[in-house]
Amino acid sequence: MSPWTSYYTATANGGPRETLLQALASWTAPPGIALDLGCGTGRDTLVLLERGWQVHAVDAEAEALGLLRQRISDAWQVRLETHQARLETVELPRGDLINASFALPFCEPTGFLDLWARISAAVRPGGLFCGQLFGERDSWASKGVTVVKAAELQQLLHGWEVLLQLEEEEDGHTPIGRPKHWHIHHLVLRRR
């Protein structure tokens, strides 16, 4: 059992993230190659496969990838590749869409700018990125996760067309019920 087991249980029946759905709604070409970074048990991977995408699903936890494979029909297996790797070290193939739902904050802060540069290089022109970044007022900012300040975020967006940039800040709870102050930047971007 990994430290993530209770999270997987709490989110097992969750639907796809809204940022992914918005990205897919703005995609006008046939389905292509998608990367799902920090895929967990596959809440977003399932929608990508259902809509005909070839998916590279990446997670650091073998447990998550095992649970994902159990959820995939035989017909979809041929369009799914799973990769057990940390975000800081994963090789990113070129693709049309990179989804990182609540994953990038868990990249080591010292490796984040390199990861962002690799994401930017991996997305083909006209391709999409969707996901979340934590802001500096997030209650986990002091716990070693990656956070971005407003000025840093604007630098990260260079080379991207912003389709959605929504800042959210509120008190709430984690999926496993712990109190948390959220400061989140929800993003859907198109590569220029």
Side-chain angles (χ1 to χ4, degrees), residues 9-186:
T9 301
T11 60
N13 296 318
R17 300 289 185 182
E18 186 59 33
T19 46
L20 174 63
L21 294 177
Q22 289 190 32
L24 290 173
S26 70
W27 185 257
T28 57
I33 297 172
L35 287 73
D36 191 3
L37 303 181
C39 64
T41 60
R43 67 192 294 168
D44 291 337
T45 298
L46 291 170
V47 161
L48 289 163
L49 290 167
E50 178 181 277
R51 297 190 184 191
W53 289 76
Q54 176 77 31
V55 181
H56 294 267
V58 177
D59 204 281
E61 300 293 327
E63 179 183 6
L65 296 173
L67 292 168
L68 167 62
R69 282 189 214 93
Q70 291 174 19
R71 300 176 75 183
I72 303 300
S73 72
D74 290 341
W76 291 352
Q77 291 288 346
V78 296
R79 289 188 287 109
L80 175 68
E81 287 187 39
T82 58
H83 309 271
Q84 184 181 354
R86 291 199 45 84
L87 296 175
E88 298 86 354
T89 60
V90 67
E91 290 187 33
L92 301 177
R94 294 275 287 171
D96 303 296
L97 184 151
I98 293 184
N99 179 62
S101 294
F102 287 90
L104 297 185
F106 299 100
C107 174
E108 290 291 330
T110 56
F112 173 71
L113 290 179
D114 175 65
L115 173 61
W116 187 257
R118 290 186 294 119
I119 288 171
S120 297
V123 177
R124 294 183 176 115
L128 301 171
F129 168 85
C130 52
Q132 289 75 23
L133 294 170
F134 287 173
E136 71 272 17
R137 294 182 301 277
D138 194 275
S139 64
W140 287 349
S142 62
K143 296 186 178 190
V145 300
T146 294
V147 298
V148 296
K149 296 179 180 173
E152 295 167 334
L153 178 58
Q154 293 313 306
Q155 291 175 355
L156 295 175
L157 298 179
H158 179 74
W160 297 89
E161 175 190 355
V162 177
L163 304 179
L164 172 75
Q165 181 181 356
L166 175 65
E167 185 175 5
E168 178 183 8
E169 188 168 359
E170 66 181 6
D171 291 322
H173 292 85
T174 67
I176 60 172
R178 294 191 179 133
K180 183 179 185 309
H181 182 78
W182 295 96
H183 184 199
I184 306 167
H185 299 281
H186 301 277

